[in-house]
Amino acid sequence: MPVSPAYRPDPRFFDLGPDFGDPVSAADFPQTILRVRNDRAAADVGLETLSDDEWLSSFGRFHPLPGQPGPVAMRYHGHQFRTYNPDLGDGRGFLAAQLREVGGAQAASDRVASDSAPPGRLLDLGTKGSGQTPWSRRGDGRLTLKGGMREVLAAAMLESLGVPTCRILSLVETGEALERNDEPSPTRSAVMVRLSHSHIRFGTFQRAAYYGRKDQIEVLLEHARSLYHPSVATGDAPGFLAAVVEASARLTAKWISAGFVHGVLNTDNLNVTGESFDYGPWRFLPHYEPGFTAAYFDNSGLYAFARQPEAVFWNLTQLAGCLKLIADSEPQVAALTEALNGFGPAYIRHLRAAFLNRLGVKSLGEAADQRLLDASLALLRDKGEALRWEPLFFDWFGGFSSGARALGGVRGKAYQGEAFDAFRFALLEHEPDRPERLEHPMFAAAESEEMLIDEVEAIWSAIDQGDDWSPLYAKLARLEAARIAWAL
């Protein structure tokens, strides 16, 4: 198989053995029709050189990639809506491979692999919809095509906004008719592959703690520390927790600044690297609404937009409780508590930075940055449905450099009143950060790229009714252009 010279297999999780995962096989699908192939993500791990047939062999039939031992269904538990579930695990997916990232953030054309080059991040190829496993319970192990399409869109939108996220490497339609109770059935089926920076979940630690296996917690700690937080000393559980807290705080702040609602913030849906993944019910805010939920079954609003920081912190307390089992002294327990309590200050710090980044301005210090954060939220709250979330950041990107563009644009009349005056004053305090980014053609458009539910449904309708994939591909192309424009 012609993987590129940059391809570096490094299947480290597989070394942990049967206590942490079960060897499995993919389902034998009636068809494998390639629908989405993410060559930019593939280039990050040396897989962009695969032909379409080879791609389907690897990501539709799941013949192992070179140097990979074969799929394993990962074992974990988790709290689901605050109720502990010991019957979880990879029920419709598996870890297919682990590979080293090539060249960090360099462009694919500039990447050079050599035996002497330092290893890049360890990345996972994880599946969804690949068939039944020992942890499927009564499920069919499948993924609907609509569900796969929605994950492709969520990940692409989040990446365009600079949110730490998995990337959807592949979406293959599989030719089965699935029955579901929450969407019209029968419906089309798919198998998806995500490229993610670790599938070690908080729930992976919870499973070991549930069985009282301190030895497994110690093994997991060393595995995750060495691979994902190597600056933490060997055996330093508080240091490891502090690193996970910091990464989780940054992720949560990025979600909020993007107006994103994950929908299902269970402990099996958060990992130790602070990169989001597993997008089932998700939404982006149409406008500021703290109680906005993404999951139709979230009747209490547990994972509503504004409650996401609380949800992430609660989940971190569960991880801390697992690590407490291996704390061998009161000072270590106290250090775990201190690390956990660092979430609040870290979240606020990252939230200020995230809003400045979204507005394209430089930091002026904690007080001024906080004024801008507060004024931005106050303006969104004051305008309500008259001002959508995403367009605010599009209109005013670059600070005062965008004043004429924003005030002369389609939302110009919304930018008036006391809340706007406070926002403009706070924004004018901050210098633009790389204002040359405003020269990108995206900023000449009247509207920003959004990901609201009506557009998602329209994209699916084109596929469902006419097998027309062009709206999806056009949206992905626009999101890629937006990613470049925001990040230049």
Side-chain angles (χ1 to χ4, degrees):
M1 180 177 292
V3 294
S4 82
Y7 173 79
R8 291 187 178 184
D10 194 7
R12 302 290 292 275
F13 181 83
F14 300 81
D15 296 337
L16 292 177
D19 287 334
F20 298 95
D22 301 270
V24 292
S25 298
D28 184 12
F29 298 114
Q31 295 178 294
T32 52
I33 306 169
L34 183 56
R35 294 305 191 183
V36 174
R37 170 177 170 149
N38 188 337
D39 276 324
R40 185 171 61 82
D44 282 348
V45 287
L47 293 174
E48 76 282 10
T49 54
L50 298 181
S51 69
D52 281 354
D53 286 343
E54 291 161 342
W55 188 279
L56 288 171
S57 175
S58 297
F59 307 130
R61 299 298 179 190
F62 294 98
H63 299 143
L65 291 164
Q68 303 290 346
V72 61
M74 301 174 73
R75 296 181 174 189
Y76 50 85
H77 288 179
H79 278 89
Q80 298 185 305
F81 285 82
R82 306 280 169 93
T83 299
Y84 195 78
N85 188 344
D87 297 320
L88 296 178
D90 279 338
R92 57 172 172 168
F94 49 62
L95 180 63
Q98 290 185 296
L99 317 94
R100 287 289 175 177
E101 187 177 39
V102 181
Q106 298 179 59
S109 59
D110 296 331
R111 293 188 180 112
V112 177
S114 71
D115 291 338
S116 61
R121 297 186 306 164
L122 183 64
L123 299 180
D124 295 354
L125 296 183
T127 70
K128 193 170 186 177
S130 48
Q132 292 179 315
T133 77
W135 310 108
S136 298
R137 293 172 283 172
R138 291 179 294 277
D140 61 12
R142 269 52 172 187
L143 172 69
T144 67
L145 183 62
K146 183 179 183 181
M149 180 215 73
R150 283 173 49 85
E151 295 223 17
V152 168
L153 288 172
M157 182 68 181
L158 288 170
E159 186 185 11
S160 77
L161 296 177
V163 179
T165 176
C166 72
R167 288 167 291 168
I168 306 306
L169 182 77
S170 174
L171 183 67
V172 172
E173 188 168 359
T174 54
E176 295 179 311
L178 303 181
E179 295 291 335
R180 292 291 185 266
N181 60 15
D182 57 352
E183 61 180 282
S185 296
T187 188
R188 295 156 72 176
S189 60
V191 64
M192 186 190 80
V193 179
R194 70 170 72 96
L195 183 64
S196 184
H197 188 35
S198 181
H199 285 80
I200 302 293
R201 300 156 166 87
F202 295 2
T204 313
F205 284 86
Q206 286 183 286
R207 185 179 190 276
Y210 179 84
Y211 290 113
R213 294 293 300 270
K214 295 182 181 181
D215 58 325
Q216 290 185 10
I217 297 175
E218 290 170 344
V219 166
L220 269 177
L221 172 63
E222 179 55 24
H223 175 85
R225 179 210 65 78
S226 63
L227 292 174
Y228 307 116
H229 299 291
S231 62
V232 176
T234 302
D236 183 2
F240 174 75
L241 179 62
V244 177
V245 164
E246 183 75 16
S248 301
R250 177 174 180 266
L251 171 63
T252 310
K254 290 277 192 175
W255 281 340
I256 297 300
S257 71
F260 180 68
V261 188
H262 186 284
V264 188
L265 286 180
N266 299 328
T267 55
D268 57 308
N269 286 336
L270 290 174
N271 68 12
V272 298
T273 63
E275 180 183 86
S276 60
F277 68 106
D278 203 5
Y279 303 121
W282 56 266
R283 292 283 188 88
F284 284 86
L285 286 183
H287 53 269
Y288 184 74
E289 185 179 342
F292 187 86
T293 58
Y296 69 88
F297 47 82
D298 188 1
N299 298 315
S300 67
L302 182 64
Y303 297 146
F305 171 69
R307 296 186 67 183
Q308 290 181 115
E310 171 200 341
V312 172
F313 178 72
W314 191 92
N315 289 341
L316 285 164
T317 65
Q318 309 314 304
L319 176 61
C322 298
L323 296 174
K324 186 177 177 181
L325 295 181
I326 59 171
D328 57 11
S329 66
E330 284 301 319
Q332 275 207 334
V333 173
L336 285 170
T337 301
E338 182 180 1
L340 182 63
N341 289 338
F343 177 82
Y347 167 70
I348 294 299
R349 172 167 39 85
H350 283 296
L351 190 63
R352 285 195 293 263
F355 268 68
L356 262 63
N357 181 66
R358 298 247 37 220
L359 288 165
V361 294
K362 297 178 181 179
S363 172
L364 191 61
E366 184 175 312
D369 295 351
Q370 187 66 44
R371 279 197 298 273
L372 181 54
L373 168 60
D374 293 342
S376 300
L377 290 173
L379 176 60
L380 286 162
R381 184 185 306 112
D382 179 71
K383 295 301 179 182
E385 295 185 19
L387 178 61
R388 301 192 311 281
W389 183 277
E390 188 60 27
L392 172 70
F393 299 98
F394 173 77
D395 288 350
W396 291 98
F397 187 75
F400 62 81
S401 298
S402 285
R405 180 173 66 92
L407 294 173
V410 295
R411 281 167 294 278
K413 292 182 179 179
Y415 297 128
Q416 55 185 322
E418 292 183 8
F420 171 69
D421 289 342
F423 167 78
R424 182 168 57 178
F425 178 79
L427 189 63
L428 288 174
E429 288 186 291
H430 292 77
E431 292 183 9
D433 182 18
R434 291 172 289 154
E436 64 274 12
R437 289 182 286 178
L438 292 170
E439 298 173 9
H440 190 280
M442 182 184 80
F443 293 105
E447 296 287 1
S448 59
E449 283 300 324
E450 296 179 87
M451 190 66 73
L452 302 181
I453 190 62
D454 287 347
E455 183 180 13
V456 175
E457 291 296 332
I459 291 172
W460 169 246
S461 180
I463 295 169
D464 185 42
Q465 300 300 318
D467 207 31
D468 181 3
W469 291 78
S470 59
L472 174 65
Y473 299 148
K475 182 66 174 181
L476 293 177
R478 294 197 302 273
L479 289 176
E480 174 60 9
R483 182 190 68 83
I484 293 170
W486 293 118
L488 278 175

